[in-house]
Every structure is written in C-alpha cells, then in structure tokens.
Amino acid sequence: MEVVAAAADGTTYRIDKYAQPQQNGSEQNNSFCCLQDGQRVVWCGDGQYKLPDGTIVATVASRLCD
C-alpha cells in the first residue's frame, strides 16, 4: 500500500506500507512502513505516522499497489 501523508507545514511524504507473512505458519502478518529512501516510519493509528525526525504526518491519500 502506498500512502501520501502531509505535515502541518504542508510538506507531503510518500509512505510505503508492507506486510510480511509469519515464517512459522501463523496467520498474523508483520507489517512495517517506510519512506521512499528506506527510513522506517511509525504508524500511530488513525491515519497518522511519525517520521524518523519526530514529525507527525496525516494521511491525505492512499492506494493499493500491485
């Protein structure tokens, strides 16, 4: 999934969300989010993310990727 999120100052960021299936056969997935350069982003819930520098951004658009 690809998310476009915006900071309070109007700067936008593309965040990629990935899900990896568990290796042990569990149905739960490990998921993680990162910027285009690979830096990890923390999902805070309710469409908000925390960037590596501490900036909180909010989702403005999203789409599923193939």
Side-chain angles (χ1 to χ4, degrees):
M1 174 180 268
E2 179 181 280
V3 173
V4 176
D9 68 1
T11 305
T12 58
Y13 301 86
R14 181 178 137 194
I15 298 171
D16 295 316
K17 295 176 71 174
Y18 299 95
Q20 294 178 323
Q22 290 284 346
Q23 296 286 338
N24 63 6
S26 171
E27 291 186 18
Q28 290 184 333
N29 288 332
N30 285 330
S31 61
F32 63 94
C33 307
C34 63
L35 297 172
Q36 285 184 291
D37 64 3
Q39 293 183 79
R40 288 285 178 105
V41 174
V42 177
W43 178 64
C44 300
D46 292 330
Q48 294 189 344
Y49 299 85
K50 185 176 182 180
L51 303 180
D53 68 359
T55 302
I56 301 295
V57 296
T59 301
V60 294
S62 65
R63 70 180 183 127
L64 292 176
C65 298
D66 294 330

